[in-house]
């Protein structure tokens, strides 16, 4: 057996369940990194419990506060065989943390980048996790094919969905893509009664205006069934990545919001009829 790989089964001492997967030949790690640029273990963010987060390569947006700038370059789907080989490797990695999922109510989060950019790999992983009774979250910007999002959202347990800027012009200017598909996709998920955790990146001077937050409240209350908002305060821990990648970091002048600002934002959402939480 190759070093770093698990056998084709693993039994959790708590439930006695056996989860199996089809054996595949080992895929070169370089190929995995072209598709999944990081695997983060023991995460307590981006979903309930202790989680393993798989960061997908490729994103259609260019948010100036992105803390994973290395994810923005798109990758070309290199075929079904590559996806199958990648699945075999990634499921082995996921199964290393089964005991933590079972004990904490955690699971796997598909993040990025934008997982919708690699639908074959995303759907394959979601299906494999479901077969093994592993809780899954899809962390998405909502920008993507309605058909792909609908299929992916129906394959996971929870969708983490960002609402950032509600002005079409500002959204296009900062993110490089239109806002309308993101709103239409969230309405589609709401109509399908898909479990969604709406998240609001709190970026001083960009997303924290009263007008922007009022529009978010109006949209959620008036056009969706979602009444919870998770506030994600800005942090600048990703700035060093921009330097290493020789990419321009456009937020040098922004500092993380203080407790007073976070409290003000939370109160505003709550006064609009939403339940507001910090983080998640």
């Amino acid at each position: 057996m190759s070093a770093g790989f698990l056998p084709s089964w693993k039994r959790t001492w708590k439930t006695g369940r056996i989860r199996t997967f089809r054996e595949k030949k080992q895929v070169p790690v370089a190929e995995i990194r072209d598709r999944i640029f990081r695997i983060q273990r023991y995460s307590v963010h981006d979903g309930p419990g202790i989680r393993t987060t798989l960061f997908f390569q490729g994103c259609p947006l260019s948010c100036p506060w992105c803390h994973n700038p290395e994810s923005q370059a798109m990758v070309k789907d290199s075929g079904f065989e590559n996806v199958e080989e990648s699945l075999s490797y990634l499921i082995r990695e996921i199964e290393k943390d089964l005991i933590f999922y079972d004990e904490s109510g955690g699971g796997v989060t598909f993040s990025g980048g934008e997982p919708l950019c690699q639908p074959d790999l995303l759907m394959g992983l979601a299906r494999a996790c479901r077969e093994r009774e592993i809780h899954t979250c899809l962390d998405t910007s909502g920008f993507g094919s309605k058909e792909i999002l609908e299929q992916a959202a129906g394959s996971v347990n929870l969708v983490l969905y960002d609402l950032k800027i509600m002005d079409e012009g500002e959204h296009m200017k900062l993110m490089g893509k239109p806002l309308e598909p993101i709103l239409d996709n969230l309405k589609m998920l709401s109509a399908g009664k898909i479990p969604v955790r709406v998240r609001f990146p709190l970026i001083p001077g960009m997303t924290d205006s009263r007008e922007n937050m009022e529009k978010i409240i109006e949209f959620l209350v008036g056009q969706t069934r979602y009444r919870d908002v998770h506030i994600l305060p800005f942090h600048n821990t990703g700035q060093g990545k921009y330097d290493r990648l020789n990419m321009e970091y456009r937020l040098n002048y922004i500092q993380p919001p203080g407790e007073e600002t976070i409290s003000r934002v939370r109160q505003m959402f709550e006064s609009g009829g939403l339940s507001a939480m910090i983080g998640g």
Side-chain angles (χ1 to χ4, degrees), residues 89-106:
Y89 174 85
L90 292 169
I91 289 299
R92 293 173 192 269
E93 292 299 302
I94 287 170
E95 288 194 313
K96 291 178 181 179
D97 297 329
L98 284 174
I99 191 170
F100 299 107
Y101 310 150
D102 287 333
E103 283 298 286
S104 69

Side-chain angles (χ1 to χ4, degrees), residues 65-258:
W65 54 82
C66 178
H67 55 267
N68 289 322
E70 69 272 36
S71 72
Q72 294 177 12
M74 303 296 282
V75 294
K76 183 179 180 180
D77 191 342
S78 53
F80 184 76
E81 182 180 359
N82 177 269
V83 170
E84 284 290 290
E85 293 174 4
S86 298
L87 279 171
S88 178
Y89 174 85
L90 292 169
I91 289 299
R92 293 173 192 269
E93 292 299 302
I94 287 170
E95 288 194 313
K96 291 178 181 179
D97 297 329
L98 284 174
I99 191 170
F100 299 107
Y101 310 150
D102 287 333
E103 283 298 286
S104 69
V108 177
T109 297
F110 309 121
S111 187
E114 174 53 69
L116 299 180
C117 291
Q118 296 192 54
D120 290 342
L121 184 60
L122 171 61
M123 242 71 82
L125 284 167
R127 181 175 60 252
C129 286
R130 184 170 54 191
E131 290 171 354
R132 292 158 179 77
E133 301 179 30
I134 299 173
H135 185 278
T136 50
C137 288
L138 168 62
D139 180 3
T140 179
S141 68
F143 189 88
S145 160
K146 184 172 291 187
E147 292 73 22
I148 290 174
L149 174 59
E150 185 174 25
Q151 184 179 357
S155 301
V156 299
N157 299 102
L158 177 65
V159 178
L160 311 178
Y161 202 103
D162 285 0
L163 282 183
K164 306 175 178 78
I165 293 177
M166 299 296 285
D167 178 83
E168 181 69 46
E170 279 297 300
H171 196 278
M172 179 66 78
K173 175 183 174 182
L174 291 174
M175 264 64 84
K177 297 293 181 181
L179 169 66
E180 186 176 1
I182 295 172
L183 301 184
D184 286 345
N185 279 341
L186 187 56
K187 288 189 287 186
M188 178 267 294
L189 295 180
S190 177
K193 298 183 179 180
I194 299 294
V196 170
R197 178 178 293 182
V198 177
R199 306 198 298 177
F200 171 66
L202 173 54
I203 317 298
M206 291 190 169
T207 68
D208 64 340
S209 70
R210 173 173 289 275
E211 180 182 11
N212 190 51
M213 290 185 285
E214 285 177 346
K215 287 182 177 180
I216 291 176
I217 295 169
E218 180 182 0
F219 174 75
L220 291 177
V221 172
Q223 301 193 53
T224 80
R225 59 194 292 273
Y226 305 121
R227 297 294 181 270
D228 297 335
V229 172
H230 288 250
I231 301 166
L232 308 181
F234 168 77
H235 60 78
N236 52 17
T237 55
Q239 182 174 353
K241 294 183 181 181
Y242 287 82
D243 296 334
R244 292 194 297 273
L245 296 169
N246 292 318
M247 296 176 64
E248 179 187 6
Y249 185 68
R250 293 179 277 170
L251 302 187
N252 286 310
Y253 61 94
I254 292 183
Q255 296 298 316

